[in-house]
Amino acid sequence: MWCVEATEISQKFNRRRIFEAISFKISGGQSLAITGPNGSGKTTLIKIICQLLRPTSGKLLIRNEERIIHPHQIYPYVGLVGPYLQLYNNLSALENYTFFARIRGLTVDIQHFKQLMVRLGLQGREFDELRTYSSGMLQRMKYVVAIMHQPRILILDEPTANLDEDGSEIIYGIMEDQKKENILIIATNEPEEVKFGEETVVLNP
Amino acid sequence: MEKRRLSLIHNAYIVFLKDLHVEFRSRYAVNAIFLFAITTLTAISFSIGPIRLRSEILSPLLWIILFFSSMSGLAHIFVREEEQQTADTLRLLTTPNSIFLGKWFFNVILLFSLEVLIVPVYLAMMGVQVNSPGSFLLIIIIGSIGIASVATLIAAIISQASAKGALLAVLSFPISLPVLISGIHGTQLAMDGSTFAETLSDLQILFSFSIVIITLSLLLFEFIWRK
Amino acid sequence: MILDKSWWKYLLGLWMLLVILGAFLYAPPAKGLGETARIIFFHVPTAWLASLAFLISAVGSLQYLRTQEKKYDIWAYSAAQIGLIFAILATVTGSIWAKKIWQSFWNWDPRETSIFILLLIYAAYFALRSAIDIEEQKAKLSAVYSIIAFVTVPFFIFIIPRVYESLHPDPLINPEGEIKMDTRMLQVFINSLLSFTLLFFWMLRLKIETMKIYLKLDQSVSK
């Protein structure tokens, strides 16, 4: 059973205190929603959970059963979608997929790729460079590479940014799937999305 | 243990291929480095005119072109990731050292490909006679690895800073001095026509310096890369 | 602690006054170099301290990377600042001396070259610091640079003599090598070296304590 465990995390930037003493523990099959007004530090907390950022104090641990997973080993198990995470716009969708697959040590499975593209409503655009994509399509493409390796921990910062109703429906489907056995963590302001989280962390500015 | 080491080189190679691919599409760094080198070489050759120069001047001129061309083009590999916001994406994909090695290799190949063009053109335009071509080639190759290694490491540092422009040259120059001094000296000897034994001390310094910088980079890069 | 008393500072002032007087009145002029050699009492200590400061800065940087404690970043930064001051002093005094002896302000003599490289490294260090806004990044990246710069030092020991040889095939008299110090010169020299070193550590400590106070102020404001 995988779990993400936060103990008394607080974060300061320069002299500003962003948040303090955040604690939670999420295991496989559970989900967490992080919410709060703009500027309350949702993205900062997300980055700490991904271990992209080190908290000023406190600890963030990712475990499999009782074994702590070292930051250098989490790569195959985490998927992140966020507005600050871009893909390689000079390359096509297929080229991006190929790169992500190879660097994660997966076989490059074109069928799997096509299935993902269909699921995210991007069929027919496999060979186009990402810079020709609209912002909604880019958001969907981010999901393609974030779920392609069936991550144990899926982290979504503003899951439906740039998406229309159809796109949002697809994403909600992905979120439901993830919640079944694995960990889902989302950061959002949308009330309907906060409901996806069994546990909630509310950040105050 | 064996598996992890293999995967370091393997992942570095994949990062390198990706960077090569992206660079091939945009050609930003390639343009910067080639144009700078050609412009500088033209300016020098034009200003010198028909005057024949001695090796004591020809050698430093060549290295100045190579060094400052590197400063124009070798930062791109890290700066681009930060500016296009793909850096965090990359951070979540593989270990820091794989990323460093892939990008280091990219910069080495980039500098080598510049030299394949510019060194012969330099020799032709400036009327240089190289009497020990073997030593000459060896000095340029090992010296370039040194310059590319320093530039890659410093580029990683400045990609996290705000005002990136001139910083690469300012930070790289003192660190690159051992390469420049030995490279210039060795190249001059090679131009004059020396035995391998005579250029050996320069080669030793260039070689050991590169090893030291690459080792240091592998030790320090994680501190630079992780926020 | 004994350092918190102020009487030793007056003693230091008196000591340095004696050193200055001794440099001009007590020590005899050096053979071959005459009165100009008196600058050695000021030039050599500043050069040595500029290098010591670099070492202290590098050690502080290493400790900062290992422990992430802000005080080590303060160490590294303060030592670099004081080191820069001493490096400038050393370069200027050396240059003045060079003008008197060799009739030119700058020669790329091995020692001139090394102090100049040290100046470049300090300048680069501060340029890097000023280009970063986030405190933790500033401390971390400048610490990394400081260590890189320090590691290149052994290489300079090998190559710098070569620079000089290639530029000046017939080396001029190297003043430090040629002087066999007269006992009185030696006395003043040792005193100068020691008193300057004490002065350096006093300045360093002052700077570090000041930065620590700034740090405490910041921390209390942010609460």
Side-chain angles (χ1 to χ4, degrees), chain B residues 153-154 157 160-163 167 170-171 173-175 177-178 181-182 185 201-202 205 208-209 212 216 220 223-224 226-227, chain C residues 65 68 117 120-121 123-125 127-128 131-133 137 140-141 144-145 147-149 151-152 155-156 158-159 162-163 166:
Chain B
L153 182 58
I154 304 291
I157 294 178
Q160 315 271 336
S162 358
L167 266 186
V170 169
L171 293 182
F173 181 66
I175 316 289
L177 274 174
I181 292 174
S182 303
H185 185 254
S201 56
D202 290 319
I205 291 180
S208 50
F209 182 81
V212 165
L216 198 59
L220 290 177
F223 289 101
I224 302 172
R226 288 197 173 276
K227 293 205 179 142
Chain C
L65 287 183
Q68 301 288 323
I117 293 173
L120 281 180
I121 291 176
Y125 178 83
L128 179 60
I132 305 172
D133 299 320
Q137 287 281 74
K140 187 186 61 162
L141 292 175
V144 169
Y145 185 73
I147 294 173
I148 297 170
V151 166
T152 60
F155 286 95
F156 286 123
F158 284 105
I159 21 165
R162 171 152 331 149
V163 176
S166 56

Side-chain angles (χ1 to χ4, degrees), chain B residues 54-98:
Chain B
R54 293 174 10 234
S55 62
E56 284 95 328
I57 312 242
L58 287 170
S59 175
L61 277 179
L62 176 60
W63 282 94
I64 287 176
I65 296 177
L66 292 178
F67 179 72
F68 285 102
S69 305
S70 303
M71 295 297 105
S72 317
L74 298 191
H76 187 66
I77 198 65
F78 275 109
V79 169
R80 174 184 61 204
E81 299 274 3
E82 295 287 339
E83 283 179 353
Q84 294 189 354
Q85 298 190 298
T86 52
D88 280 335
T89 315
L90 203 51
R91 282 188 176 93
L92 286 175
L93 285 178
T94 186
T95 57
N97 279 348
S98 305

Side-chain angles (χ1 to χ4, degrees), chain A residues 2 5 11 16 24 30 33 36 55 85-86 92 95 100 107 118 135 138 142 150 159 166 175 177 179 191:
Chain A
W2 284 76
E5 192 179 313
Q11 185 70 12
R16 214 160 52 89
F24 58 80
Q30 293 180 327
L85 224 67
Q86 302 300 333
S92 72
E95 287 164 344
F100 278 80
T107 46
V118 168
S135 52
L138 276 174
K142 290 182 191 177
Q150 282 122 22
D166 290 340
M175 283 161 66
D177 282 345
K179 273 173 57 160

